Amino acid sequence: MSFLTTQALARSFGGLKAVAGVDLALAQGEIRAIIGPNGAGKTTLVSLISGRIPPSAGRITFDGADITELKPWDRVLRGIVYTFQITSIFKNLTLTDNVALAAQRALTRSRPLWRGLDSSEIATATQSALDRVGLGARADELAGELAYGHQRLLEVAMGLALKPKLLILDEPTQGLSEQEIADFCRLVKSIAQEATILLIEHNMDVVMEMADRITVMNNGAMLAEGTPDEIMNHAEVQRAYLGA
Ligand SMILES: Nc1ncnc2c1ncn2[C@@H]1O[C@H](COP(=O)(O)OP(=O)(O)OP(=O)(O)O)[C@@H](O)[C@H]1O
Ligand SMILES: [Mg+2]
């Protein structure tokens, strides 16, 4: 059985079928990219997987359990962590405080209530998550003072502090420089040693370098799926998306 599966997963907004019956199957430990034109339904699909919005139809299983009815936070507790396309940090808190909030939740989840939280444990987890995304030296700055691209990295640090089994990244490289993108790719590859990655990405260089497999969406449906090579050479994908 796959680590994550969606079966006939669908979501409509009024008359619009944003996700129109998607069957997705992810293996544990893979880096899966989802690509497709604007409005293809990529964000809606991962919002269904994270539980941010409920489906109109279909089922989702993760790590051996049906999670379709679970609330978003219960999915986080099971290890599904989603960094939003629209940034969701607390701008008037420091980087440390933002990440510590996430670390605290992750450390609380596996522990009996009577065993208090060790603040040095939270501090260590927080600093290590910030170091990992390259923001360790700016830990005491206010999140709102970071450039947009760095706010996205802070979100990834918050996600890491939640100890993900499945990390969903929605356009993480948007707003990053070339060098920052290269660093980011290295970071995601290192995260992939411990977690499965679902990556929505428009930068095709990043997709081709990172992905084990690629799922192409168009009009709410899955248009194609395969290795980077297979997708590059897929005639229908070239017509619909790659602009050949
Ligand atoms: N909350 C909503 N209410 C109404 N329509 C929505 C909502 N969210 C998404 N849609 C519509 O559903 C379709 C799919 O949107 P979605 O955001 O999933 O696309 P996407 O593939 O992530 O696009 P992009 O690459 O621009 O991020 C679009 O037509 C969008 O306008
Ligand atoms: Mg989107």
Side-chain angles (χ1 to χ4, degrees):
M1 195 190 177
S2 297
F3 193 51
L4 173 77
T5 62
T6 71
Q7 292 149 27
L9 194 62
R11 171 69 202 208
S12 299
F13 296 110
L16 175 81
K17 289 181 176 167
V19 171
V22 167
D23 296 303
L24 189 70
L26 259 64
Q28 192 159 15
E30 79 169 300
I31 301 179
R32 173 71 61 97
I34 302 185
I35 65 171
N38 293 119
K42 305 179 298 294
T43 295
T44 305
L45 177 62
V46 296
S47 298
L48 294 170
I49 293 169
S50 72
R52 205 158 67 91
I53 57 172
S56 314
R59 312 296 311 172
I60 307 166
T61 65
F62 175 69
D63 206 3
D66 188 316
I67 61 160
T68 314
E69 312 295 337
L70 288 186
K71 292 278 178 270
W73 182 244
D74 290 320
R75 300 188 200 201
V76 175
L77 293 181
R78 285 170 187 254
I80 299 181
V81 171
Y82 176 32
T83 74
F84 296 95
Q85 186 174 18
I86 307 298
T87 183
S88 65
I89 58 175
F90 298 102
K91 295 195 172 179
N92 55 349
L93 295 183
T94 63
L95 277 58
T96 294
D97 288 343
N98 269 281
V99 178
L101 285 169
Q104 185 176 2
R105 289 167 158 180
L107 290 168
T108 310
R109 82 179 170 213
S110 56
R111 146 171 345 200
L113 279 173
W114 60 84
R115 219 196 114 193
L117 272 176
D118 180 349
S119 63
S120 76
E121 208 177 333
I122 295 173
T124 306
T126 298
Q127 189 61 41
S128 114
L130 282 171
D131 286 342
R132 228 168 144 193
V133 304
L135 289 174
R138 306 182 64 179
D140 296 331
E141 293 180 31
L142 291 182
E145 285 164 6
L146 295 178
Y148 179 74
H150 291 128
Q151 294 187 5
R152 309 296 318 276
L153 289 176
L154 175 58
E155 279 200 322
V156 175
M158 292 163 73
L160 286 176
L162 289 167
K163 305 252 182 281
K165 291 185 195 167
L166 172 66
L167 180 62
I168 301 173
L169 300 163
D170 195 345
E171 298 191 31
T173 66
Q174 210 184 29
L176 297 184
S177 71
E178 291 280 313
Q179 183 55 50
E180 288 166 337
I181 289 175
D183 292 342
F184 182 79
C185 288
R186 259 194 303 282
L187 168 66
V188 172
K189 280 183 175 160
S190 95
I191 298 170
Q193 310 284 318
E194 303 129 43
T196 305
I197 311 274
L198 189 52
L199 170 72
I200 298 178
E201 182 58 66
H202 280 292
N203 182 324
M204 287 307 288
D205 292 337
V206 171
V207 169
M208 290 299 157
E209 189 197 324
M210 303 292 298
D212 296 307
R213 294 179 68 76
I214 300 171
T215 298
V216 187
M217 287 187 72
N218 196 24
N219 293 324
M222 203 189 284
L223 177 67
E225 192 177 293
T227 63
D229 272 354
E230 285 165 352
I231 294 304
M232 279 306 268
N233 297 307
H234 194 288
E236 215 178 328
V237 173
Q238 289 183 346
R239 264 198 306 278
Y241 184 55
L242 299 174

